[in-house]
Amino acid sequence: NRPLTKRICCIGAGYVGGPTCAVIAQQNPHIEVTVVDLDEVRIAQWRSSNLPIFEPGLSAIVEVTRDGTDGRQPNLFFSTAISAAIQQADIIFIAVNTPTKRMGVGAGSASDLGYVESAARMIANAAPADKIIVEKSTVPCGTAERLRSIFASLAPARSFSILSNPEFLAEGTAIKDLLNPDRVLIGSLKDDRSMSAARELASVYSWVPHDRVVHTNLYSSELAKLAANCLLAQRISSINSLSAICEATGADISEVANAVSLDQRIGRHMLKASAGFGGSCFKKDVLSLVYIAESLHLYDVANYWRAVNSINEHQKSRFTSRVISALHGTLLRKKITIFGWAYKKNTGDTRESASISVAAQLLAEGCELAVYDPQVSTNAQQIYRDLEDIGTNIRERVRVWDNAVDACVDACAVLILTEWDHFKTDMLADTSTLPENCTAASSDSGIDMLDDGLDLPTAKSVVHDAFNKSDRVDWCAIASVVQRPRLVFDGRGVVDPVALGALGFRVESIGKASVT
Ligand code: UDX
Ligand code: UDX
Ligand code: ADP
């Protein structure tokens, strides 16, 4: 049952387009996949050994599919020749960014479809014949309809089949998510031509069991993607709102979360209290849903979802206030160390990271910051760019370190804001046994990939990448360089307060009452 498709073009070589196409190419040696982007630097990076994004397991797949390192015919290409790739493709993915609008109607809430529209125009101008166009980017409901009207006006002689096929991968686990997705969602019109296009797209997901490929109408598919992200964000805000109650009482959020998660109707995922969710999706997609509800005059619905983001902002401020209060209400001439700048572990992505908001609020109090992140420290400029809205002297007041202990010298407090395994206080697993002992190592890094049905070489490379970044920091050495009373604020619930307490630290954890 080989798919008919021979060529795929993906417009957008970002966090979605890059890994998705790498896996499609890996799983379909007979399909040529070309990922195109306007950004020449990004494409040059995708063609190099220094990929533009860090994602466990990705580089091994790119090497095989792009370079043919295991004797395969290369079938993954990266290019800035957008028109040529569009012309040759049978299926075109649109995987461009859809940030929140910054100006005009809906500014600060609606999704900016400018990049989607520009990609559509490129297709209309370059495609010589009918093509299958696939919306991969997360878009508001009705975007497929808009695309249809763009094509109808720009290319009336050709009839493109438009499908919605949102991507559900999470960063840090993208390869695992792509290889073993909970579902592949394909939205289409119900006429014969559209259904045939939907079947052709489904055949690209050759490695996914048939019962996980879900067909819906276009609106449902677009709304389901937004809904999934909003519901996930809502769970985090729910648990975070409860963490505030825990801190003010004797309850412990991890005990509460565990107790409620045992109810099968609730389940255990996305219930980890934190200093706030980050990433390019949750805040933006909640805002997009709020905007859709408001546009439909459903103001109570809009307010309901708006609260998800409000609680997230509240959580970040609450965390910062706790730090300031423990440091006697003043941060002037004090040094604070931030552990973790990525918005979650196993990624170098910093978009909407809680660290950025917390850092901005701390800097406003007059302190100096030291930052250490196992991945982002290698790209200090990114941290300065993230803080550039704050104003002057950022480079004098924020120092980025590539070593955790050095970052902590004379610090009044250490703040953990990303859940890197690196910061954990348990024993460092023996990575030297990794090739033979993959399962043990993978479960330690929280990625049970063999259980998830990944083949052994892929599972090993995913674990290897994640693990390389997760050698534990030396808390003993940190104890000897920080200022007393050796304050640690754990915004991710990664350290054991008792273990650190034995080293002389005082640990303040999210969702647990303060130590007095
Ligand atoms: C609930 C809890 O389920 C139970 O664990 C707790 O001990 C008491 O409160 P109950 O109120 O008896 O139990 O019934 P439940 O099945 O939870 O339904 C409550 C209401 O929600 C009903 O009106 C039900 O029709 C409605 N409901 C439930 C929905 O509208 N949609 C759903 O998906 C589920
Ligand atoms: C999310 C969705 O999970 C994914 O399905 C969708 O395709 C894109 O958006 P992502 O943002 O990459 O993926 O990561 P996710 O693991 O969902 O985490 C988002 C943020 O929530 C991170 O900052 C994370 O640290 C935080 N989080 C997650 C919590 O604070 N608590 C949790 O229990 C889970
Ligand atoms: P995501 O996280 O959704 O993948 P990214 O911002 O990482 O988003 O990537 C989106 C990519 O899409 C960027 O590299 C951007 O340059 C690219 N892009 C945006 N518009 C176009 C376009 N019209 N043609 C080609 N590439 C585009």
Side-chain angles (χ1 to χ4, degrees):
N1 259 353
R2 291 180 107 202
L4 299 170
T5 305
K6 295 287 183 283
R7 288 202 178 97
I8 290 175
C9 164
C10 174
I11 305 178
Y15 287 88
V16 172
T20 304
C21 287
V23 169
I24 288 176
Q26 181 205 36
Q27 297 295 320
N28 297 287
H30 55 286
I31 297 182
E32 252 184 49
V33 185
T34 304
V35 189
V36 294
D37 205 294
L38 293 167
D39 186 335
E40 291 177 7
V41 175
R42 211 165 205 188
I43 290 296
Q45 287 172 321
W46 277 113
R47 286 172 153 176
S48 75
S49 56
N50 190 17
L51 300 184
I53 64 176
F54 169 70
E55 190 62 63
L58 176 64
S59 57
I61 294 178
V62 170
E63 271 174 31
V64 170
T65 51
R66 183 194 65 183
D67 307 334
T69 45
D70 70 350
R72 261 175 66 140
Q73 184 75 16
N75 66 331
L76 177 65
F77 306 93
F78 295 94
S79 171
T80 50
I82 301 178
S83 296
I86 289 172
Q87 275 163 21
Q88 290 164 9
D90 305 290
I91 297 185
I92 301 166
F93 288 162
I94 300 181
V96 300
N97 33 336
T98 52
T100 303
K101 266 185 97 173
R102 281 166 169 262
M103 58 170 99
V105 176
S109 185
S111 289
D112 181 351
L113 292 177
Y115 300 98
V116 172
E117 184 174 335
S118 87
R121 285 178 181 278
M122 286 173 170
I123 296 169
N125 290 333
D130 303 352
K131 308 270 181 192
I132 296 174
I133 316 291
V134 183
E135 250 177 25
K136 266 262 160 234
S137 317
T138 304
V139 289
C141 310
T143 304
E145 279 303 319
R146 283 195 198 190
L147 288 177
R148 272 154 49 82
S149 78
I150 292 173
F151 291 127
S153 60
L154 293 184
R158 286 161 280 157
S159 56
F160 297 107
S161 301
I162 299 178
L163 303 174
S164 162
N165 174 219
E167 183 44 62
F168 292 96
L169 67 81
E171 287 177 34
T173 54
I175 300 304
K176 167 182 157 306
D177 296 342
L178 285 161
L179 287 173
N180 191 23
D182 290 338
R183 76 307 210 182
V184 167
L185 180 57
I186 300 178
S188 66
L189 294 179
K190 296 298 161 209
D191 59 276
D192 288 350
R193 213 163 158 271
S194 304
M195 293 304 290
S196 153
R199 279 193 299 277
E200 188 165 349
L201 177 61
S203 73
V204 169
Y205 294 95
S206 48
W207 68 97
V208 179
H210 287 307
D211 59 355
R212 291 201 208 162
V213 180
V214 179
H215 291 270
T216 66
N217 73 35
L218 283 168
Y219 263 67
S220 299
S221 174
E222 289 171 337
L223 183 57
K225 170 63 199 188
L226 270 187
N229 274 357
C230 292
L231 284 164
L232 295 173
Q234 181 222 46
R235 270 173 84 91
I236 301 170
S237 277
S238 297
I239 204 74
N240 281 345
S241 73
L242 291 167
S243 77
I245 295 178
C246 289
E247 285 168 36
T249 60
D252 177 328
I253 197 62
S254 48
E255 292 181 353
V256 174
N258 180 49
V260 299
S261 72
L262 295 172
D263 185 327
Q264 290 181 17
R265 296 168 301 176
I266 296 174
R268 67 191 168 85
H269 294 292
M270 308 303 272
L271 284 183
K272 182 95 181 155
S274 64
F277 60 72
S280 68
C281 294
F282 283 172
K283 179 178 170 189
K284 168 179 76 95
D285 291 347
V286 168
L287 286 170
S288 179
L289 191 62
V290 165
Y291 184 73
I292 291 171
E294 279 177 343
S295 310
L296 299 168
H297 307 290
L298 299 168
Y299 300 110
D300 289 339
V301 176
N303 285 339
Y304 172 79
W305 287 107
R306 191 180 281 115
V308 170
N309 277 351
S310 306
I311 287 288
N312 199 47
E313 294 307 315
H314 175 66
Q315 188 74 350
K316 292 184 276 188
S317 307
R318 234 170 41 73
F319 181 82
T320 317
S321 301
R322 197 170 171 188
V323 175
I324 297 168
S325 150
L327 292 170
H328 316 294
T330 175
L331 301 189
L332 272 181
R333 287 177 293 282
K334 291 181 180 168
K335 170 180 166 179
I336 294 177
T337 300
I338 290 182
F339 273 6
W341 196 263
Y343 79 91
K344 64 185 284 196
K345 72 173 181 179
N346 292 337
T347 179
D349 194 351
T350 67
R351 290 178 288 181
E352 300 293 339
S353 176
S355 306
I356 301 172
S357 306
V358 169
Q361 289 166 22
L362 293 172
L363 287 166
E365 297 289 325
C367 67
E368 292 187 359
L369 291 180
V371 178
Y372 169 71
D373 183 288
Q375 182 65 32
V376 189
S377 284
T378 56
N379 184 11
Q381 297 314 315
Q382 180 60 51
I383 295 173
Y384 293 125
R385 273 197 297 279
D386 290 338
L387 293 172
E388 72 192 359
D389 288 345
I390 289 169
T392 51
N393 296 341
I394 288 305
R395 281 164 200 270
E396 286 99 83
R397 295 176 60 204
V398 180
R399 187 149 175 206
V400 180
W401 296 85
D402 58 10
N403 175 300
V405 179
D406 292 344
C408 291
V409 172
D410 285 334
C412 298
V414 178
L415 279 43
I416 302 173
L417 288 170
T418 311
E419 69 279 23
W420 285 101
D421 290 349
H422 206 88
F423 306 138
K424 284 184 177 170
T425 39
D426 55 355
M427 291 293 287
L428 179 61
D430 182 8
T431 54
S432 62
T433 60
L434 189 58
E436 287 74 37
N437 189 15
C438 190
T439 314
S442 66
S443 69
D444 183 82
S445 68
I447 312 171
D448 295 314
M449 279 154 306
L450 291 178
D451 292 348
D452 283 337
L454 269 64
D455 65 80
L456 190 61
T458 307
K460 277 180 187 169
S461 79
V462 172
V463 174
H464 178 268
D465 285 355
F467 233 72
N468 269 356
K469 304 289 172 191
S470 62
D471 306 76
R472 304 293 194 262
V473 304
D474 185 349
W475 285 105
C476 273
I478 291 169
S480 66
V481 297
V482 293
Q483 290 196 7
R484 287 166 195 268
R486 300 193 181 96
L487 281 170
V488 171
F489 293 84
D490 185 359
R492 294 283 171 181
V494 294
V495 297
D496 175 1
V498 177
L500 281 194
L503 295 177
F505 287 98
R506 191 180 115 195
V507 180
E508 301 280 338
S509 305
I510 212 94
K512 296 186 200 325
S514 285
V515 186
T516 45

